[in-house]
Amino acid sequence: MRISKLAFITAIAGAVATLVFPILFGSPPDLGAAPMADGFVTPILALEFARSAADLAFLQGEGAEALRGFLVHTQSLDRFFPLAYAGMAAMFFLALGLRNPGRWLAWAALAVALVTVGADWAENAVMNRLLAELGAGAEPRANLLAALHGHTWIKWGLIGLYAALFSVLLWQDKRRLLAIPGVVAALAIAVTWLSGSNGQVAEIMSTLLIPFMLTFPLAAVMYLRGNSAPSEQSAA
């Protein structure tokens, strides 16, 4: 079996793992008395995009103990989640690069996907510190909130970048319908950043990432079926 085919199969396995993780995360408990910041309905997103202590009021106090516990549990699993979703992307880009070693854009996308794993872990480290301080009854510190904002947008920026590169690669291979979800995802991330991490926009962005992530296994299956694009045929 060619190594590129094995990489595509690994990408499909990563897609399956990516779909399993939301099931493992489970559903959050009651939010308690304090609401999340305007527009947010997903606690993990509200934590990620928090800009001030007021944005984390829903995680403070005894009434939020169950929700904090849920997020601590989610974070314990989330250390492996980047290996699934970013690993899926990395294996897909690796496969494209192996099919045409001179295709530098595939190798650049592979590098971006790999760096995303580290960026997500760095973000998780800050979120874990914030949850620990909130659990101890302390006010979230401004320096931690600033660090969270920076790490969060490094991670999302990298995801948006490899989404754009994914679309360019598929467009070059004449798979133009499959290129659309990546463009939409990249634009959604950019709009969320321009909105100042608005809750409603961030929730929409999160939803728009789903079809983008599902495009990876679909495209991998198409390449495995041997329906080579013109660029691959010329490189063969």
Side-chain angles (χ1 to χ4, degrees):
M1 178 183 293
R2 290 176 57 185
I3 299 177
S4 62
K5 288 186 177 181
L6 181 59
F8 277 132
I9 292 171
T10 305
I12 294 169
V16 173
T18 301
L19 293 173
V20 167
F21 267 96
I23 299 173
L24 297 177
F25 291 153
S27 300
D30 183 75
L31 295 180
M36 287 184 280
D38 287 346
F40 285 103
V41 296
T42 310
I44 193 68
L45 282 180
L47 172 58
E48 271 190 62
F49 290 109
R51 299 293 301 275
S52 67
D55 292 338
L56 293 177
F58 73 103
L59 288 175
Q60 298 183 57
E62 294 183 4
E65 183 176 357
L67 183 55
R68 287 196 303 270
F70 166 78
L71 290 175
V72 169
H73 164 71
T74 299
Q75 286 294 100
S76 69
L77 294 173
D78 197 40
R79 75 185 76 172
F80 304 108
F81 188 44
L83 297 174
Y85 78 82
M88 167 187 69
M91 288 299 100
F92 183 88
F93 296 135
L94 174 63
L96 290 185
L98 290 172
R99 285 192 164 207
N100 184 352
R103 200 174 189 189
W104 66 268
L105 201 60
W107 298 112
L110 169 62
V112 174
L114 291 175
V115 174
T116 302
V117 176
D120 200 320
W121 283 342
E123 178 199 42
N124 283 343
V126 179
M127 291 169 70
N128 289 338
R129 290 173 64 187
L130 273 170
L131 286 170
E133 293 192 0
L134 290 168
E139 283 282 318
R141 287 180 289 155
N143 64 322
L144 278 184
L145 287 167
L148 177 61
H149 179 71
H151 285 300
T152 293
W153 276 111
I154 290 173
K155 180 196 76 173
W156 284 110
L158 289 168
I159 293 173
L161 177 56
Y162 78 65
L165 293 173
F166 175 75
S167 294
V168 172
L169 287 163
L170 291 183
W171 187 272
Q172 290 176 340
D173 284 352
K174 310 301 181 185
R175 305 182 190 277
R176 291 173 179 172
L177 285 177
L178 290 178
I180 294 173
V183 173
V184 172
L187 288 174
I189 291 171
V191 170
T192 304
W193 178 70
L194 290 172
S195 75
S197 305
N198 175 272
Q200 292 177 335
V201 179
E203 293 285 352
I204 293 172
M205 175 203 71
S206 179
T207 301
L208 291 175
L209 283 177
I210 296 173
F212 162 59
M213 294 295 182
L214 292 175
T215 306
F216 280 100
L218 179 59
V221 168
M222 293 183 68
Y223 282 105
L224 283 171
R225 291 179 62 185
N227 184 17
S228 297
S231 63
E232 293 170 352
Q233 293 171 349
S234 62

